[in-house]
Amino acid sequence: MRTKTLAGPLVAALLLTACSSEEPAPAAGAKGTVDIDIHGWLGYEAQAAVLSYLLEHELGYKVRTRKMKEEDSWKDFQSGKVDVIVENWGHNDLKKEYIEDRKVALSAGLTGNKGVIGWYVPEWMVRKYPDITDWRRLNKYASLFRTAKSGNAGQVLDGDPSFVTNDEALIRNLDLDYKVVYSGSEDALIKAAESATKNRTPLLMYFYEPQWLFTKLKLVKINLPPYAIGCDDDAATVACDYPPYLLDKIVSRSFAQNGGKAYELVRNFTWTNDNQNAVASDMVNKRMTAEQAAKRWVDENKIVWKDWIPR
């Protein structure tokens, strides 16, 4: 999940324009089948659910989904096992390999979401320790964040190791007395944030937006050294904050050429962090299935999605 320049998306957009000017060939089957991979965070699942619902109920396609790690999805563009990645966070290395070099994938445009990655603490900690959001003061508070897994260092709790993260390099290059500990999943990060807020226990964690949890509790972002273009080009020497992410959709080249109206819908899709958080929040807080939450959002937001539907 979740890196550097916008060259990849710009190149992909130019390629996409060339492909989309051709008349698409008929999709397989009566209306065709669209294969969408599901990656390991709830916002992604929420977005995939809305796209799937519209593909099935507005356009008559069949949608197949499977849960995959991000890098594994990219590997399957050439084999045809995946048509769509609905929310991509950077991954310029994968874009270079599969879009520019192998030419088996394309960017299908921005999702409209604004992605933010960083380090966060519960709001109560900022009230008690007002300067804790300054990265230069973090070593002063390292002892607060010690755990059995971090030993004598403070703990920075990360998610799945496959998520986009510079945290180990940041700790090393900023001379911080901390250690990255991987929780293993988004769900584990959320549970840690909820527990730290409820029980007022110290927590310093890797996290990101859009994310439904911000509708439920308050986390405050640490001010790391400001991001500047190129400061994260060398993964080993990163000493700056994460860049702002303009999230995009990635599709196989064959889907862009032959996916017909299904591809047009994916290309046209664009919404906001609040839209995504509303669907994800219903899935968690109202215990809706992904399809139920998608249906509710679709029923209440026709003004948003009606222009996505190809004519």
Side-chain angles (χ1 to χ4, degrees):
M1 164 183 179
R2 321 305 190 195
T3 11
K4 293 182 174 67
T5 70
L6 293 177
L10 289 174
V11 171
L14 292 172
L15 290 170
L16 182 59
T17 301
C19 289
S20 61
S21 64
E22 301 174 2
E23 184 67 20
K31 268 288 189 177
T33 299
V34 182
D35 292 301
I36 298 178
D37 275 2
I38 306 297
H39 294 163
W41 58 96
L42 195 66
Y44 185 108
E45 187 177 353
Q47 185 161 308
V50 170
L51 264 173
S52 298
Y53 189 90
L54 292 172
L55 283 165
E56 292 181 335
H57 294 273
E58 293 295 319
L59 296 183
Y61 285 83
K62 176 182 178 181
V63 176
R64 291 185 301 211
T65 61
R66 62 176 187 165
K67 293 184 177 181
M68 296 290 286
K69 289 187 177 295
E70 293 171 83
E71 63 271 20
D72 292 335
S73 289
W74 287 78
K75 294 175 184 176
D76 278 343
F77 276 130
Q78 187 163 5
S79 68
K81 292 180 181 178
V82 59
D83 295 316
V84 185
I85 292 174
V86 305
E87 184 179 277
N88 171 64
W89 288 66
H91 291 300
N92 282 3
D93 54 338
L94 296 174
K95 284 184 173 180
K96 183 178 187 307
E97 179 176 357
Y98 293 98
I99 293 178
E100 298 177 21
D101 297 342
R102 297 194 184 189
K103 303 186 187 307
V104 295
L106 296 170
S107 172
L110 300 178
T111 68
N113 295 129
K114 304 299 188 292
V116 177
I117 296 177
W119 292 0
Y120 293 81
V121 293
E123 185 184 44
W124 72 263
M125 294 198 75
V126 180
R127 291 176 178 172
K128 187 170 183 179
Y129 311 105
D131 63 344
I132 202 170
T133 58
D134 183 346
W135 71 271
R136 299 176 186 84
R137 304 287 184 266
L138 284 177
N139 279 344
K140 181 172 74 171
Y141 297 108
S143 61
L144 292 177
F145 299 105
R146 289 175 184 164
T147 68
K149 292 183 178 180
S150 67
N152 291 327
Q155 174 179 278
V156 176
L157 187 67
D158 269 47
D160 188 310
S162 70
F163 289 175
V164 171
T165 175
N166 299 326
D167 289 357
E168 292 183 7
L170 281 169
I171 287 171
R172 181 177 61 253
N173 297 326
L174 295 177
D175 293 322
L176 297 177
D177 187 18
Y178 286 81
K179 177 182 178 181
V180 172
V181 174
Y182 292 96
S183 67
S185 69
E186 177 184 72
D187 189 52
L189 286 175
I190 289 171
K191 288 179 179 177
E194 290 175 329
S195 176
T197 298
K198 179 181 178 180
N199 300 317
R200 294 178 69 82
T201 52
L203 176 68
L204 177 60
M205 64 187 290
Y206 165 103
F207 212 48
Y208 39 84
E209 302 176 55
Q211 166 55 242
W212 69 267
L213 188 63
F214 288 97
T215 69
K216 184 178 179 181
L217 55 83
K218 292 184 177 180
L219 301 171
V220 181
K221 192 172 182 292
I222 300 295
N223 295 315
L224 294 170
Y227 175 80
I229 295 176
C231 71
D232 57 349
D233 283 348
D234 183 352
T237 62
V238 174
C240 60
D241 207 344
Y242 291 86
Y245 292 89
L246 298 177
L247 311 184
D248 61 345
K249 302 150 288 184
I250 308 297
V251 299
S252 71
R253 178 177 285 269
S254 62
F255 181 67
Q257 293 173 336
N258 305 319
K261 290 188 174 182
Y263 165 67
E264 290 183 53
L265 172 58
V266 172
R267 184 185 60 190
N268 293 343
F269 177 100
T270 178
W271 66 353
T272 66
N273 288 17
D274 287 343
N275 292 147
Q276 186 181 103
N277 287 342
V279 179
S281 180
D282 280 349
M283 292 167 64
V284 174
N285 298 317
K286 296 184 183 299
R287 300 185 182 277
M288 292 183 178
T289 65
E291 183 175 12
Q292 288 170 338
K295 181 181 185 303
R296 178 181 177 181
W297 187 87
V298 166
D299 288 345
E300 295 177 355
N301 291 275
K302 186 172 183 179
I303 193 171
V304 178
W305 60 261
K306 63 182 179 65
D307 290 335
W308 305 346
I309 306 301
R311 303 304 174 196

